[in-house]
Amino acid sequence: VSMTDLIWDGLVKRYRSKTTHRILTDAQMIVIRDGLADSYEARMVALVADYTAGRIATVTWEDRFLTLIVEAASHGFVFGRGGAALMTNADWDELAVTVAKQTSYGGRFLSELEASIDAQRGTTPLKAIRTALEARTAARASLYAGAAVEGYERGHAAAQGTPTNRLTLPVYPADGGTTCMSRCRCNWIIKGDEEARVWNAHWQTEHDEKVCDGCKGRGELYASVTVPM
Ligand SMILES: [Zn+2]
């Protein structure tokens, strides 16, 4: 299933396939979410390679890298929310806070990278410094694609609520609160129970060895979250 085949169903607050008309499962949505993050990751890694190879100026690199983080968070949020038309003021506010936080993580990377270049300047040719940094910076750049994951998870939670009854959860995947930082690919599973007037949510960790202790802890702490509607 690709993003272009999806249409939001406001009644069930889920996406449907335009082709099969079936509602997508949580698992299918996570695959699409992660594909979105992967596409931003590839662009971030390519961009830092342009910088370390000296193909783009520092100011261009900084500007484009931060822009990619903003785009990743926004794209994820709006997609999770069900489309830009459904975004409320509260959604834009929540997205703005997420963008500010994710770009501040990115800003730390920018200044650390420049500081490490500056520290070697004078003793090592710039080209050699940059080549030495290449592998490390590629791995580091890939971290920031998690902005799409946090954005998506926030948008998805907000989509389950109503403008007068907003659903927010205590923490979100890739929010920077776990040691895996933005590498996190955990997710929230949310089910609305209209009769009981509650949302039932639980934190689902990735089913592989990449899960950090912080995420495992969240999986236990948030195994069953009940939020009144
Ligand atoms: Zn995680």
Side-chain angles (χ1 to χ4, degrees):
V1 188
S2 80
M3 268 169 104
T4 50
D5 183 48
L6 302 180
I7 187 158
W8 184 254
D9 184 329
L11 216 59
V12 287
K13 298 174 175 178
R14 289 284 191 272
Y15 280 102
R16 279 181 191 278
S17 157
K18 286 183 200 164
T19 322
T20 66
H21 307 290
R22 288 220 180 106
I23 294 164
L24 271 78
T25 63
D26 286 318
Q28 284 174 310
M29 289 305 298
I30 296 313
V31 171
I32 298 171
R33 180 202 72 175
D34 291 351
L36 182 69
D38 289 348
S39 72
Y40 278 100
E41 181 177 328
R43 290 167 70 187
M44 288 167 177
V45 169
L47 186 65
V48 78
D50 279 343
Y51 176 58
T52 50
R55 287 189 289 269
I56 53 172
T58 304
V59 62
T60 310
W61 140 251
E62 288 185 351
D63 183 54
R64 289 197 192 153
F65 190 68
L66 293 177
T67 300
L68 272 179
I69 295 175
V70 174
E71 283 179 12
S74 307
H75 200 160
F77 196 112
V78 171
F79 175 54
R81 185 65 184 82
L86 296 174
M87 293 282 287
T88 64
N89 286 339
D91 292 323
W92 290 115
D93 287 348
E94 186 176 339
L95 173 56
V97 172
T98 307
V99 161
K101 187 190 58 186
Q102 291 284 350
T103 51
S104 83
Y105 293 153
R108 240 182 271 165
F109 172 43
L110 298 180
S111 41
E112 281 172 33
L113 180 55
E114 274 146 41
S116 82
I117 292 173
D118 284 346
Q120 298 172 71
R121 228 173 226 169
T123 54
T124 320
L126 185 59
K127 197 163 190 291
I129 300 170
R130 286 177 152 179
T131 307
L133 283 171
E134 214 162 333
R136 202 150 52 87
T137 52
R140 179 80 185 266
S142 71
L143 256 175
Y144 301 92
V149 172
E150 184 184 7
Y152 173 83
E153 292 292 323
R154 287 183 175 276
H156 174 64
Q160 307 310 306
T162 65
T164 50
N165 202 357
R166 188 169 182 77
L167 174 62
T168 52
L169 295 164
V171 291
Y172 291 91
D175 64 5
T178 53
T179 49
C180 62
M181 294 295 285
S182 303
R183 235 173 234 124
C184 177
R185 295 293 181 269
C186 300
N187 63 280
W188 276 110
I189 299 287
I190 306 163
K191 303 264 183 264
D193 185 338
E194 297 283 343
E195 262 174 52
R197 305 299 301 155
V198 291
W199 285 287
N200 294 306
H202 71 269
W203 179 280
Q204 181 173 270
T205 56
E206 290 179 294
H207 299 294
D208 60 25
E209 68 287 349
K210 281 189 291 181
V211 178
C212 74
D213 286 343
C215 285
K216 267 184 209 152
R218 284 182 174 186
E220 286 156 21
L221 187 59
Y222 304 118
S224 175
V225 177
T226 306
V227 183
M229 275 183 181

